[in-house]
Amino acid sequence: MKIVPLKEGNFSASKTKDFTLLTEENFETVGGIKMSIQPFLIITENDYILLDTGIGWKNETEKTVISEIFERENITHHQITKVLLSHLHKDHIDGIITNTENGYEATFPNAEIYIQKRELDFAMENKGNHSFDFGILEKLIKLPNIVWMNDDQGQINEEISFEVVGGHTPFMQVFWIKENGETVFYGADDLPQESYLKYHVAYKSDFDGKKASELRQKWEKEAKENHWKVLFYHDLDKAIVEF
C-alpha cells in the first residue's frame, strides 16, 4: 500500500485551541503547545482511505495545503472512498467541510465517513469545550454517506479494522490497515508523537491519561513484534516509523 502524509504544517495551539502556523521567525516566541497537523492518505488495491482530515489550512493562494499535496500526487478529492475519523476534535475534522460559493459542502464528496456515534454524543454533551468546532460538527453530521459506528471493535472491510480504546477522549478509536503482509497502525492522539513512547507519562490533556499511557506501552510491544508502520499525526518531524 502507499502512505501519503498530508502535513498541513507545524502549529502552536493556544488554550482555546486556536492554531498559529509556526515559522522559523516565530517558532521560539509563540506560546502554546507545539504540534504538527498531519492526516494520512492510505492507498490500497481497493480504497483511497483518509485517516482524519486536518483543519483545512490554506496557504497564501487560498488553496488548502492538502489540495496542493493531492495535486502533486495526481489525486482528486473525488477519489477518496473512505474517511476514518478517530475522534471529533477540531484539528482532526475541520478539513472535512469546504466553504464554497454555494455554501458548505463535503470536501470528499464520494467518501463514506466513519464516525463513532458515542464520540459524537460526548461532544454534543460538552458544548463550550474549545476542542470541538460545533459549527463544523453540525454540518458534518448532515452530510450524506455517514457510517455510524457503535461497536467497540470490528472490521470495516478485509483490510481495515478498528477498536474503540478511549484515552484521549472517551470513545476515541484507532485503526489498523493490513494488505499483502504489511500493517499500518494509526493511534491518533493516544500515540500522536514518537516521543510519547520514551516516557510513560499520563498527560492531563487526555480524558484518561493513565489508560492512554498503558495503551502506548502495549502498542509499542505489538509494533515491534509484528513490524508495524506507525503513523504520527502530531509529530513535528516524523510522519511514519517502521518497527
Side-chain angles (χ1 to χ4, degrees):
M1 69 186 92
K2 182 175 181 179
I3 306 171
V4 183
L6 304 174
K7 185 168 183 174
E8 295 185 285
N10 291 332
F11 296 85
S12 172
S14 69
K15 290 182 179 180
T16 55
K17 298 299 187 291
D18 295 312
F19 292 90
T20 300
L21 183 67
L22 294 173
T23 64
E24 291 183 3
E25 289 74 22
N26 70 6
F27 191 90
E28 299 299 332
T29 58
V30 174
I33 300 171
K34 294 180 173 64
M35 66 181 75
S36 75
I37 296 181
Q38 185 165 244
F40 292 88
L41 170 64
I42 312 294
I43 303 173
T44 68
E45 292 178 5
N46 299 315
D47 283 298
Y48 283 65
I49 304 160
L50 275 188
L51 295 167
D52 291 331
T53 64
I55 57 175
W57 192 262
K58 293 182 179 180
N59 60 23
E60 295 174 353
T61 64
E62 288 301 302
K63 183 179 292 186
T64 67
V65 174
I66 288 177
S67 293
E68 289 193 331
I69 298 172
F70 274 22
E71 287 180 8
R72 291 201 299 268
E73 296 287 336
N74 197 28
I75 295 165
T76 72
H77 291 69
H78 290 77
Q79 286 177 272
I80 304 304
T81 56
K82 290 179 173 62
V83 175
L84 310 181
L85 297 180
S86 63
H87 63 298
L88 298 176
H89 285 171
K90 64 171 69 171
D91 55 320
H92 289 256
I93 71 160
D94 276 12
I96 205 162
I97 298 287
T98 299
N99 189 7
T100 72
E101 294 178 354
N102 300 317
Y104 288 92
E105 298 178 357
T107 306
F108 311 101
N110 296 327
E112 294 178 326
I113 302 169
Y114 289 79
I115 305 174
Q116 269 293 332
K117 181 63 167 60
R118 291 168 290 175
E119 176 73 9
L120 175 67
D121 293 341
F122 171 76
M124 292 305 186
E125 290 167 1
N126 284 271
K127 290 290 182 70
N129 185 324
H130 295 298
S131 293
F132 299 105
D133 185 331
F134 292 97
I136 294 293
L137 265 179
E138 288 166 2
K139 295 175 179 67
L140 164 61
I141 61 178
K142 294 176 183 177
L143 293 178
N145 303 332
I146 289 181
V147 179
W148 292 110
M149 306 168 73
N150 294 288
D151 294 334
D152 290 333
Q153 60 184 357
Q155 296 283 139
I156 290 174
N157 59 19
E158 290 186 3
E159 290 83 27
I160 306 167
S161 58
F162 71 93
E163 183 177 353
V164 178
V165 295
H168 184 64
T169 66
F171 300 102
M172 202 195 77
Q173 58 187 357
V174 299
F175 299 96
W176 292 262
I177 301 172
K178 300 179 181 181
E179 186 180 57
N180 299 326
E182 182 180 19
T183 299
V184 170
F185 173 68
Y186 178 54
D189 280 12
D190 280 343
L191 184 49
Q193 302 181 26
E194 186 186 27
S195 63
Y196 277 51
L197 296 173
K198 297 178 182 178
Y199 312 103
H200 299 157
V201 176
Y203 290 96
K204 293 181 179 179
S205 56
D206 290 332
F207 180 81
D208 187 341
K210 183 174 183 292
K211 184 174 185 182
S213 177
E214 292 170 351
L215 286 166
R216 286 191 284 274
Q217 295 174 61
K218 172 178 176 287
W219 291 331
E220 182 178 20
K221 181 175 182 293
E222 293 176 354
K224 290 177 178 177
E225 291 174 349
N226 298 290
H227 306 293
W228 293 352
K229 290 182 179 179
V230 177
L231 311 181
F232 298 109
Y233 193 90
H234 287 308
D235 198 294
L236 291 169
D237 301 308
K238 292 185 178 179
I240 308 163
V241 172
E242 185 170 1
F243 286 84

